[in-house]
């Protein structure tokens, strides 16, 4: 693995960024946390540093990720939330013992129960998912317009009309496809 930070798609919301660790869900899926160490890396990058992760904890994380994706997708299209997804999100939220702390600089950070407690980090992610799905934050859940992606994302743009989970990936891919189609059409 090359040096430097892992190649994760970071978004403006922890929970939907976490669901982005499985991308291209409707194309050729790309698993961005294939190993326990990659989950540790993702958590560190997102301010939830843990020392280690077991295979069982990685499976808990993936179960939470898929539950958040299912609930956020349902919320985005105004469908009932899947009961199994709600149960997993609530269970992970209640299992965590993280505490919000105020730094001397005036920002919020999370203090986990112990440096090796992945469950605490998952509790923070679950609590974040609850706040966006419950509509407590200023923004709107939406689904990426890319037919191969369809990732749930939290739109905080002023008009709440964002189409892509990430303009640098899905948005550019779609713009390039439209450009190439127009080029082929104009050559006829």
């Amino acid at each position: 693995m090359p040096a430097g930070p892992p190649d994760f798609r970071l978004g403006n919301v922890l929970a939907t960024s976490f669901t982005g660790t499985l991308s291209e869900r409707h194309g050729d899926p790309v698993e961005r946390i294939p190993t326990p160490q990659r989950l540790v890396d993702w958590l560190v990058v997102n301010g939830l540093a843990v020392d280690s992760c077991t295979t069982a904890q990685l499976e808990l994380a993936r179960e939470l990720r898929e539950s958040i994706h299912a609930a956020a997708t349902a919320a985005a299209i105004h469908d009932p939330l899947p009961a199994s997804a709600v149960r997993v999100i609530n269970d992970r939220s209640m299992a965590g013992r993280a505490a919000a702390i105020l730094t001397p600089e005036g920002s919020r950070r999370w203090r986990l129960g112990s440096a090796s407690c992945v469950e605490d980090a998952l509790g923070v992610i679950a609590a974040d998912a609850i706040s966006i799905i419950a509509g407590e934050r200023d923004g709107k859940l939406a689904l990426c317009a890319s037919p191969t992606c369809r990732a749930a994302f939290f739109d905080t743009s002023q008009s709440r009309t964002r189409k892509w989970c990430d303009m640098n990936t899905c948005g550019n891919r779609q713009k390039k496809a439209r450009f190439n189609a127009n080029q082929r059409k104009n050559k006829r």
Side-chain angles (χ1 to χ4, degrees):
M1 188 162 107
D7 180 30
F8 294 123
R9 293 185 326 167
L10 301 177
N12 61 350
V13 175
L14 182 62
T16 55
S17 293
F18 187 57
T19 65
T21 62
L22 180 65
S23 60
E24 296 301 310
R25 290 170 180 273
H26 299 279
D28 292 323
V30 177
E31 177 61 72
R32 296 183 187 282
I33 53 170
T35 64
Q37 184 57 49
R38 291 293 283 180
L39 177 60
V40 169
D41 294 342
W42 190 91
L43 292 169
V44 167
V45 166
N46 286 280
L48 298 169
V50 298
D51 290 336
S52 63
C53 176
T54 66
T55 302
Q57 289 169 322
L58 176 61
E59 289 309 312
L60 286 175
R62 288 179 179 163
E63 180 185 39
L64 175 62
R65 176 188 66 194
E66 295 312 302
S67 296
I68 293 170
H69 178 72
T73 297
I77 60 174
H78 307 289
D79 274 356
L81 301 180
S84 61
V86 169
R87 180 188 46 78
V88 168
I89 293 167
N90 288 339
D91 287 351
R92 292 290 81 73
S93 180
M94 291 185 299
R97 296 170 310 206
I101 60 168
L102 185 63
T103 67
E105 300 78 35
S107 61
R108 181 184 71 176
R109 286 238 171 23
W110 288 99
R111 179 172 291 153
L112 305 182
S114 72
S116 63
C117 195
V118 171
E119 288 81 1
D120 288 354
L122 297 180
V124 171
I125 296 167
D128 189 59
I130 291 167
S131 75
I132 63 168
I133 294 168
E136 296 174 349
R137 306 251 296 270
D138 187 26
K140 175 183 102 171
L141 277 166
L143 299 179
C144 183
S146 168
T148 61
C149 178
R150 301 298 289 161
F153 66 91
F154 196 63
D155 183 3
T156 58
S157 67
Q158 188 171 4
S159 64
R160 307 290 195 263
T161 58
R162 206 172 105 198
K163 294 173 101 176
W164 317 109
C165 64
D166 188 307
M167 192 59 207
N168 292 324
T169 54
C170 292
N172 279 341
R173 190 178 310 127
Q174 293 301 313
K175 286 170 65 174
K176 183 178 177 181
R178 270 196 316 271
F179 175 80
N180 289 337
N182 285 337
Q183 292 290 54
R184 285 190 298 274
K185 183 179 169 184
N186 290 336
K187 287 184 180 182
R188 292 182 192 166

